[in-house]
């Protein structure tokens, strides 16, 4: 694994958990007011908005976040669908339904089967597809994703991958094949905790994962998605790190657009209980703080969250939603026994979520991007 | 107050001064001293062979221990011309700081972005410390930083117009995205203008016409120094910021209930 | 010991055609023009000369010579 000469790893090293905790502890009402009055200009401001003392200001923060999101994004909400192509995994992550030690039904889709799934999704109206997989290099190696992307590219507007971290040449192959978005969650930015949760497999390499979004950017990905798995450690600290990471990527890879996600731990097959549960009010605070810190970042909410909560969170700063999601491979076209990565809580179809979004005064968008002029990828392809 | 660092060199004054348009070399030298500046720009021109040559006082009047002399490439209309001027400047006495000023338009003296980027790329590779003068174009600023310029110098308004910062929104974006110091250069006519530039987030300002063209350039130089210093001091004092009232709207977090 | 004018060569000096004595070096030219060598930069046929080259650089016919110096500028 070749690490980058210069990366976010250096920034992270300057911000050990103790330093973040100290900043959070040092925040007071005055700091919260300052951050709200002049905007989030520094780490101090971000910490103030994530600290407990900001909780009484939550409504103000939400109003400001909503207003800022309208300015930057208007009322458009972009829809995407996740497609799980394999739940085989070589890693042993204690919190995940795909943990290699879990005895669950495993399935991987052939390229034909995956293409069939996407046809199904396209019929429903989706044009932005997220390809997700466990780390399954024997079953779904890079050439698999390459072939799949080439097949799918002519039929979708945007292809997003959420798989194990790859090298720059491998990311470049996927970019050539039509992938434009790279999604990768660090899970936790605290290296000590990270080592405790990722007990076996290649995912143990913290820095290789941390630097992956940068490798993707260098390889030509247009969009980067990052996030932390909320519930693994202190959420205030993780949200702070996500803000730091996003800001670093925006400044260093200024041609790329950065989005932030908020996966919140739910039930998983191994019955892992998140040790630092994140309540609804906590999630709202994270959303608001990050929106105020990152006015230009996309904010993504998946179907981990309930329909009611998603509807409430929508105006506060969300710009992308998934809908009708199945987190099991092959779950769209047919019923399957395969284990899902997490339990979906919002079971509404795309049409239903779009209607709900519209009812709240937002504009549901299924196609918001086109790689049309990306010449390398104008291959006919077939699905 | 935090010092300004450009290309590894530290400056306590954030006011840079140009040496053009003064009535006399002596007044220019006194104004430079009064300004407290540590960065001074000069130009390169053909010697006038028709006129009897007197010793060139310009460089001898500038205290090279105190100020960095930055030749500019004014007069250049193409990258090749600018590169040539830079090389001539370096040969003239080891000046490897260079202000890229590529203005093919003689009316507004606005900089050519394409030639500037080309010249910057070459000159950085040749080891020059390049400070490019540009329109306040955030993407151009990023492209220049990528090729390795030591700073970016967006204009506040066209050269000599004394109109102040007319493109504050763009300057703010440049400041937000910049990974090198931002020097607002051109068009700054009054101390309030330089203060405005600093308040927008600029790391330094460059002033020439407003000082040289004033009735009392020495006094004006002092005024600009004070304006720059006041703004930097206020910035260091951590201002509270304008208050923005939250927009009246139905409550967004009411659904959370009382916890 | 000036050479006869008929032997003088033509060069282009700061954009103007000039006749100068043959076999003259740059140092000599600067002296003729009354210029202090330390206050100027000289470029001959596109090559910037270092000061220690003034003595040894002989001007040839049709040479393009630029003599520049620093002046005030913004």
């Amino acid at each position: 694994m070749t690490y980058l000469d210069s990366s976010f790893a250096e920034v992270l090293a300057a911000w050990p958990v103790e330093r973040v905790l100290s900043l959070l502890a040092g925040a007071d009402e005055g700091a919260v007011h300052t951050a709200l009055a002049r905007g989030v200009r520094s780490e101090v401001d971000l910490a103030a908005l994530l600290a407990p003392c900001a909780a009484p200001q939550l409504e103000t923060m939400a109003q400001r976040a909503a207003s800022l999101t309208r300015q930057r994004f208007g009322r458009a909400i972009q829809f995407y669908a996740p497609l799980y192509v394999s739940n085989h995994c070589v890693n042993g992550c204690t919190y995940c339904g795909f943990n290699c030690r879990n005895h669950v039904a495993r399935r991987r889709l052939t390229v034909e089967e995956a293409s069939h799934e996407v046809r199904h999704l396209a019929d429903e109206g989706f044009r932005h597809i997220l390809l997700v997989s466990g780390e399954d290099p024997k079953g779904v190696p890079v050439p698999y994703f390459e072939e799949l992307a080439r097949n799918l590219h002519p039929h979708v507007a945007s292809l997003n991958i959420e798989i194990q971290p790859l090298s720059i040449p491998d990311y470049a192959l996927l970019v050539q094949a039509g992938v434009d978005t790279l999604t990768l969650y660090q899970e936790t930015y605290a290296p000590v905790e990270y080592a405790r949760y990722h007990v076996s497999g290649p995912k143990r390499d913290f820095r290789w994962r941390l630097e992956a979004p940068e490798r993707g950017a260098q390889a030509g990905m247009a969009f980067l998605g990052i996030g932390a798995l909320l519930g693994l450690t202190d959420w205030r600290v993780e949200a702070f790190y996500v803000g730091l990471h996003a800001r670093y990527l925006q400044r260093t890879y200024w041609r790329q657009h950065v989005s932030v996600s908020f996966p919140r731990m739910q039930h998983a097959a191994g019955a892992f209980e998140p040790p630092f549960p994140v309540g609804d009010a906590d999630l709202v605070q994270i959303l608001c703080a990050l929106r105020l810190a990152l006015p230009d970042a996309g904010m993504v909410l998946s179907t981990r969250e309930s329909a009611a909560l998603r509807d409430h969170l929508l105006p506060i700063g969300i710009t992308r939603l998934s809908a009708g999601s199945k987190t099991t491979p092959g779950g769209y076209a047919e019923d399957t026994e395969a284990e899902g990565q997490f339990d979906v809580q919002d079971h509404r179809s795309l049409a239903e979520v779009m209607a709900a979004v519209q009812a709240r005064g937002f504009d549901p968008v299924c196609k918001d991007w086109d790689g049309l002029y990306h010449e390398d990828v104008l291959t006919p392809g077939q699905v | 107050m935090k010092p300004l660092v450009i290309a590894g060199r530290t400056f306590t004054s954030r006011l840079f001064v140009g040496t053009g348009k003064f009535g006399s070399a002596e007044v220019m030298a006194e104004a430079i001293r009064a300004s407290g500046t540590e960065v001074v720009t000069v130009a390169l021109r053909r010697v006038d062979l028709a006129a009897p040559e007197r010793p060139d006082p310009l460089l001898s009047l500038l205290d090279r221990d105190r100020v960095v002399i930055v030749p500019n490439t004014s007069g250049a209309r193409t990258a090749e011309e600018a590169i040539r001027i830079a090389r001539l400047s370096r040969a003239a006495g080891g000046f490897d700081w260079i202000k890229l000023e590529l203005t093919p338009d003689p009316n507004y003296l606005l900089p050519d972005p394409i030639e500037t980027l080309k010249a910057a790329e070459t000159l950085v590779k040749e080891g020059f410390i390049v400070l490019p003068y540009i329109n306040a174009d955030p993407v151009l600023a990023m492209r220049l930083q990528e090729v390795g310029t030591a700073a970016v110098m967006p204009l506040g308004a066209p050269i000599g117009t004394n109109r102040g910062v007319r493109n504050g929104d763009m300057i703010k974006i440049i400041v937000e995205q910049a990974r090198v110091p931002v020097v607002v250069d051109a068009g700054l006519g009054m101390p309030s203008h330089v203060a405005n530039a600093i308040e927008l987030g600029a790391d330094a300002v460059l002033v020439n016409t407003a000082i040289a063209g004033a009735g009392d350039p020495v006094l004006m130089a002092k005024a600009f120094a004070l304006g720059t210093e006041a703004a930097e001091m206020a910035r260091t004092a951590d201002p509270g910021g304008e208050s923005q009232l939250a927009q009246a709207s139905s409550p967004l977090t009411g659904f959370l209930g009382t916890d | 010991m000036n050479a006869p004018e008929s032997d003088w060569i033509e060069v282009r000096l700061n954009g103007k055609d000039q006749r100068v004595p043959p076999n003259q070096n740059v140092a000599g030219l600067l002296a003729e023009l009354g210029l202090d060598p330390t206050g100027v930069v000289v470029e001959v046929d596109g090559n910037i000369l270092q000061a220690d080259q003034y003595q040894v650089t002989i001007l040839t016919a049709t040479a393009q010579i630029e003599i520049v110096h620093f002046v005030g500028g913004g």
Side-chain angles (χ1 to χ4, degrees):
Chain A
M1 302 310 185
T2 323
Y3 300 130
L4 298 173
D5 288 334
S6 172
S7 77
F8 181 62
E10 286 139 38
V11 176
L12 195 61
W15 283 97
V17 173
E18 300 70 42
R19 187 175 177 198
V20 180
L21 286 172
S22 152
L23 215 58
L24 286 164
D28 59 13
E29 272 179 32
V32 176
H33 281 274
T34 300
L36 288 174
R38 66 172 192 197
V40 175
R41 292 187 191 173
S42 72
E43 291 88 350
V44 174
D45 298 322
L46 177 57
L49 294 182
L50 288 169
C53 56
Q57 296 298 321
L58 202 57
E59 179 61 28
T60 304
M61 286 169 68
Q63 294 285 345
R64 186 72 49 77
S67 167
L68 204 50
T69 311
R70 288 307 76 72
Q71 279 173 31
R72 292 301 217 279
F73 293 90
R75 299 189 159 274
I77 304 292
Q78 188 204 89
F79 281 87
Y80 73 97
L83 174 64
Y84 283 74
V85 300
S86 171
N87 65 0
H88 290 261
C89 193
V90 301
N91 291 307
C93 310
T94 61
Y95 52 81
C96 178
F98 292 171
N99 186 336
C100 61
R101 288 189 179 75
N102 283 354
H103 295 295
V104 292
R106 304 277 179 177
R107 170 111 192 261
R108 58 172 78 91
L109 305 179
T110 64
V111 171
E112 290 69 37
E113 287 169 330
S115 305
H116 179 63
E117 292 280 282
V118 173
R119 248 207 307 269
H120 187 93
L121 289 169
D123 286 344
E124 275 193 56
F126 289 103
R127 292 289 177 274
H128 290 247
I129 303 293
L130 167 66
L131 300 173
V132 196
S133 172
E135 181 156 1
D136 179 19
K138 292 207 174 68
V140 291
V142 170
Y144 170 98
F145 287 104
E146 253 191 294
E147 197 192 335
L148 186 55
R150 272 191 212 286
N151 280 5
L152 299 180
H153 176 77
H155 304 275
V156 300
S158 163
L159 279 173
N160 184 353
I161 47 155
E162 189 184 336
I163 61 178
Q164 71 276 15
L166 300 177
S167 65
I168 295 178
D170 280 343
Y171 280 135
L173 288 174
L174 296 183
V175 168
Q176 291 287 326
V179 177
D180 51 69
T181 309
L182 172 60
T183 297
L184 191 67
Y185 305 144
Q186 189 61 19
E187 319 294 11
T188 166
Y189 285 86
V192 171
E193 319 297 313
Y194 186 93
R196 269 220 295 274
Y197 283 117
H198 302 97
V199 293
S200 68
K203 194 164 169 178
R204 281 184 66 72
D205 192 335
F206 179 87
R207 185 168 167 183
W208 180 246
R209 189 177 190 83
L210 189 71
E211 295 184 344
E214 301 183 55
R215 294 196 299 275
Q218 290 182 24
M221 291 286 180
F223 300 95
L224 304 173
I226 63 168
L229 189 51
L230 300 171
L232 293 182
T233 82
D234 183 340
W235 62 263
R236 300 177 202 275
V237 173
E238 296 296 349
F240 178 90
Y241 283 134
V242 170
L244 224 57
H245 196 187
R247 188 85 81 123
Y248 172 86
L249 291 171
Q250 284 173 330
R251 283 165 56 83
T252 316
Y253 298 97
W254 55 275
R255 291 179 177 84
Q256 273 70 25
H257 185 248
V258 177
S259 289
V260 167
S261 296
F262 308 90
R264 186 164 62 145
M265 289 243 59
Q266 313 281 0
H267 169 78
F272 176 89
E273 274 309 311
F276 293 85
V278 176
D280 289 354
D282 302 332
L283 185 59
V284 172
Q285 190 174 353
I286 295 171
L287 257 165
C288 292
L290 288 180
R291 169 51 76 218
L292 295 178
L294 308 164
D296 300 301
M299 308 227 311
V300 190
L301 205 58
S302 75
T303 52
R304 280 182 196 256
E305 304 297 340
S306 70
L309 187 63
R310 295 211 316 163
D311 288 351
H312 284 303
L313 294 179
L314 189 65
I316 299 179
I318 300 299
T319 59
R320 296 181 60 209
L321 289 176
S322 58
S325 301
K326 303 272 188 282
T327 71
T328 64
Y332 290 113
E334 58 197 61
D335 290 332
T336 175
E337 289 297 315
E339 183 66 28
Q341 186 182 36
F342 57 81
D343 279 354
V344 166
Q345 283 205 78
D346 182 349
H347 295 278
R348 294 174 295 178
S349 67
L350 173 63
E352 286 171 312
V353 182
M354 284 175 71
V357 157
Q358 227 158 5
R360 277 158 185 78
F362 292 89
D363 179 20
V365 169
C366 282
K367 176 178 168 168
D368 194 17
W369 165 252
D370 202 313
L372 179 66
Y373 300 104
H374 183 173
E375 279 175 35
D376 294 352
V377 203
L378 286 176
T379 50
Q382 74 279 3
V383 173
Chain B
M1 295 191 279
K2 258 175 52 179
L4 168 67
V5 178
I6 298 181
R9 184 159 168 159
T10 306
F11 302 96
T12 46
S13 166
R14 289 168 184 272
L15 174 63
F16 301 174
V17 179
T19 54
K21 299 179 184 171
F22 282 91
S24 75
E26 290 69 33
V27 170
M28 178 218 69
E30 224 192 307
I32 297 283
R33 268 192 302 274
S35 73
T37 187
E38 294 160 333
V39 178
V40 154
T41 56
V42 299
L44 200 68
R45 288 289 181 277
R46 278 175 172 163
V47 172
D48 183 355
L49 299 171
E53 181 60 28
R54 48 171 218 276
D56 181 4
L58 179 68
L59 291 190
S60 56
L61 286 173
L62 298 171
D63 182 356
R64 286 190 74 176
D65 288 327
R66 197 187 138 62
V67 303
V68 173
I69 296 183
V70 183
N72 69 28
T73 65
S74 65
R77 287 152 307 168
T78 66
E80 285 70 36
E81 287 174 3
I83 291 164
R84 185 162 155 248
I85 294 175
R87 290 173 181 157
L88 282 164
S89 300
R90 183 145 69 180
F95 299 103
D96 50 15
W97 288 56
I98 190 81
K99 169 179 164 180
L100 265 180
E101 188 176 318
L102 260 156
T103 55
D105 161 24
N107 299 307
Y108 291 102
L109 296 172
L110 290 170
D112 181 324
I114 295 161
E115 296 301 304
T116 301
L117 184 60
K118 273 192 341 211
E121 201 163 10
T122 300
L123 291 174
V124 167
K125 288 196 180 113
E126 292 184 9
F128 284 91
I129 293 164
V130 179
L131 286 70
Y133 167 63
I134 56 170
N135 217 322
D137 177 343
V139 176
L140 176 60
M142 293 307 292
R143 296 291 302 269
L144 285 161
Q145 288 168 76
E146 274 184 344
V147 305
T149 60
V152 288
M153 305 222 289
L155 59 87
I159 292 173
T161 56
N162 287 349
R163 301 178 74 204
V165 177
R166 291 291 169 144
N167 45 18
D169 288 345
M170 293 296 123
I171 301 274
K172 274 203 263 195
I173 295 174
I174 292 176
V175 164
E176 184 193 310
Q177 299 183 324
R179 298 170 71 82
V180 298
V182 178
V183 182
V184 174
D185 172 17
L188 302 172
M190 288 294 281
S192 58
H193 299 163
V194 306
N196 182 23
I198 303 275
E199 284 156 19
L200 288 172
D203 297 284
V205 292
L206 202 161
V207 179
N208 190 169
T209 305
I211 293 176
D216 184 345
V218 175
L219 191 58
M220 189 58 92
K222 276 199 199 116
F224 270 94
L226 288 169
T228 311
E229 209 188 319
E232 180 57 14
M233 210 182 278
R235 187 155 71 173
T236 309
D238 217 8
E242 287 168 21
S243 185
Q244 295 167 60
L245 296 173
Q247 291 189 359
S249 160
S250 2
L252 293 171
T253 57
F255 71 94
L256 290 167
T258 48
D259 281 342
Chain C
M1 252 156 324
N2 287 340
E5 285 237 7
S6 53
D7 285 351
W8 282 28
I9 57 173
E10 202 156 272
V11 299
R12 199 159 172 83
L13 183 54
N14 277 6
K16 289 202 164 60
D17 290 325
Q18 290 260 132
R19 291 178 65 80
V20 298
N23 300 320
Q24 187 172 60
N25 59 22
V26 168
L29 176 66
L30 293 177
E32 282 273 329
L33 296 167
L35 295 174
D36 174 2
T38 63
V40 301
V41 192
V42 180
E43 187 192 66
V44 176
D45 290 330
N47 296 316
I48 301 168
L49 299 184
Q50 301 298 323
D52 58 16
Q53 292 172 288
Y54 291 172
Q55 288 287 350
V56 302
T57 306
I58 308 290
L59 302 173
T60 57
T62 74
Q64 310 260 352
I65 305 158
E66 293 282 345
I67 304 177
V68 298
H69 65 162
F70 287 117
V71 299

